């Protein structure tokens, strides 16, 4: 078996009850939530009992998903399963950096909470949102967005699936333009146009937060969304740059494969990233950990890795 990469899930994969059985099965996972509650009281309750509407609000979504991501990864580490590298989708990159030792557990959670607040504010100020675009090439999506204006390709997820950020008032117009080009557009239930120029104020604010936050060089490679390449040392600029840069996820997966990674373990809520891996790297071994049951299965699959 080749090298193993942990992939930390991003926003949109949240659901009521996430993380609960992980905490019951793993002391290491429970410790992640305990620390979160000491900094942001009620985080565990939101994950375990919060409504879909409550969890969809960015200032709740990001801290909650971060905890599930990190809890799943720590449960695996507790079981003796260690990745050779990590990558995280959007907010998952903060969890990946924390797991890799770039931030302490406390500072990583503090960072994701500040990130959520800044992005929520920028979303409301810009009145932006997202649209998933299917069945068009990257070049076609770029062309459609440029023609529409105030629209930007932001998530290059996998072959045939790209997400664009646009003004909420332009979602229907962008969808019509995508249809005219032969594609299909699906409006996404997220509160802002992340990873685009709409997030400039959030990026500037996060840069200030990072300037005062201790950061170390990651102990294992962390592949960055904005470059599809590993972080170079304690790069404080990269997490802020990420907010206004596209997420090059397909490119990241292909870079990992080229670097010898053949086993991909999605840690966190849902199986969205597992789907992206399957569509991009059909020969890869794919495992996910989001609850006690999937943790047990993953441990069997990864035994001896």
């Amino acid at each position: 078996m080749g090298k193993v990469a942990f992939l930390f899930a991003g926003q949109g994969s949240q659901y009521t009850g996430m993380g609960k059985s992980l905490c019951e099965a793993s002391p290491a996972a429970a410790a992640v939530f305990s620390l979160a509650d000491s900094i942001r009281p009620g985080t565990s309750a939101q994950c375990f009992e919060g409504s879909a509407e409550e969890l969809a609000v960015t200032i709740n979504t990001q801290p909650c998903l971060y905890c599930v991501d990190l809890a799943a990864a720590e449960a695996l580490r507790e079981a003796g399963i260690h990745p050779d590298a990590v990558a995280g989708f959007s907010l998952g990159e903060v969890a990946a950096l924390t797991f890799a030792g770039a931030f302490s557990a406390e500072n990583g959670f503090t960072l994701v909470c500040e990130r959520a607040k800044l992005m929520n504010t920028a979303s409301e100020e810009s009145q932006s949102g997202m649209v998933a675009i299917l069945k068009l090439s990257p070049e076609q999506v770029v062309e459609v967005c440029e023609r529409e204006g105030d629209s930007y390709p932001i998530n290059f997820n996998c072959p045939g699936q790209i997400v664009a950020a646009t003004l909420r008032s332009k979602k229907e117009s962008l969808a019509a333009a995508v249809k005219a080009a032969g594609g299909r557009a699906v409006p996404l239930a997220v509160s802002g146009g992340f990873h685009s120029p709409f997030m400039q104020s959030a990026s500037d604010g996060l840069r200030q937060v990072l300037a005062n936050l201790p950061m170390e060089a990651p102990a294992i490679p962390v592949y960055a969304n904005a470059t599809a390449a590993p972080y170079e040392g304690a790069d404080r600029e990269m997490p802020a740059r990420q907010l206004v840069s596209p997420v090059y996820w397909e490119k990241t997966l292909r870079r990992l494969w080229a670097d010898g990674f053949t086993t991909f373990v999605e840690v966190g809520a849902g199986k969205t990233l597992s789907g992206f891996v399957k569509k991009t790297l059909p020969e890869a071994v794919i495992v996910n950990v989001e609850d006690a049951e999937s943790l047990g299965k993953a441990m069997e699959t990864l035994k001896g890795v």
Side-chain angles (χ1 to χ4, degrees):
M1 190 178 290
K3 292 189 285 187
V4 177
F6 282 8
L7 307 179
F8 292 72
Q11 200 160 337
S13 59
Q14 66 274 3
Y15 58 84
T16 301
M18 61 183 182
K20 190 172 188 299
S21 68
L22 267 178
C23 286
E24 295 167 349
S26 164
V32 171
F33 282 92
S34 179
L35 177 63
D37 283 336
S38 73
I39 299 171
R40 181 182 180 271
T43 299
S44 293
Q46 279 187 333
C47 289
F48 303 162
E49 305 159 13
S51 66
E53 292 75 18
E54 182 180 10
L55 288 170
V57 178
T58 297
I59 55 174
N60 298 329
T61 316
Q62 294 195 18
C64 288
L65 280 174
Y66 167 95
C67 286
V68 182
D69 281 8
L70 193 57
E74 292 295 358
L76 285 168
R77 178 148 60 185
E78 180 182 48
I81 297 168
H82 304 275
D84 299 291
V86 295
F89 192 98
S90 189
L91 82 90
E93 189 165 299
V94 182
L97 285 164
T98 303
F99 181 80
F103 300 112
S104 68
E106 181 176 0
N107 286 337
F109 187 69
T110 298
L111 178 60
V112 84
C113 289
E114 292 301 315
R115 182 183 188 274
K117 293 174 188 174
L118 289 163
M119 293 176 74
N120 190 70
T121 299
S123 298
E124 291 307 311
E125 290 174 346
S126 63
Q127 290 292 295
S128 57
M130 292 186 189
V131 175
I133 300 175
L134 310 176
K135 301 181 179 180
L136 294 185
S137 68
E139 294 77 16
Q140 287 175 301
V141 173
V142 169
E143 183 180 342
V144 167
C145 287
E146 288 179 346
R147 194 163 58 240
E148 280 297 296
D150 291 319
S151 302
Y152 309 92
I154 55 163
N155 295 346
F156 294 84
N157 293 336
C158 63
Q161 185 183 130
I162 297 169
V163 174
T166 189
L167 296 173
R168 294 175 194 170
S169 61
K170 297 201 69 169
K171 276 188 173 184
E172 290 187 9
S173 174
L174 179 60
V178 168
K179 184 177 180 180
R184 184 163 71 91
V186 181
L188 298 180
V190 293
S191 60
F194 307 143
H195 305 290
S196 75
F198 297 128
M199 292 292 114
Q200 188 61 57
S201 64
S203 179
D204 294 340
L206 196 67
R207 190 171 286 107
Q208 294 178 16
V209 173
L210 286 158
N212 298 304
L213 207 65
M215 183 178 185
E216 304 289 338
I220 57 174
V222 179
Y223 285 67
N225 289 177
T227 62
Y231 269 69
E232 296 183 1
D235 188 347
R236 295 173 183 277
E237 174 63 22
M238 190 63 73
R241 174 184 169 186
Q242 188 221 46
L243 300 193
V244 290
S245 171
V247 174
Y248 293 107
W249 193 250
E250 180 183 345
K251 188 176 179 181
T252 297
L253 294 178
R254 295 192 186 282
R255 171 66 186 271
L256 282 162
W257 185 264
D259 288 348
F261 290 85
T262 58
T263 300
F264 297 85
V265 185
E266 178 174 6
V267 289
K271 298 181 181 179
T272 299
L273 301 185
S274 298
F276 294 161
V277 175
K278 187 175 182 179
K279 291 179 180 177
T280 306
L281 306 171
E283 297 178 6
V285 176
I286 307 167
V287 180
N288 86 293
V289 176
E290 61 178 322
D291 52 25
E293 181 182 1
S294 56
L295 173 63
K297 291 179 179 177
M299 289 166 60
E300 285 297 316
T301 302
L302 299 170
K303 191 179 298 181
V305 172

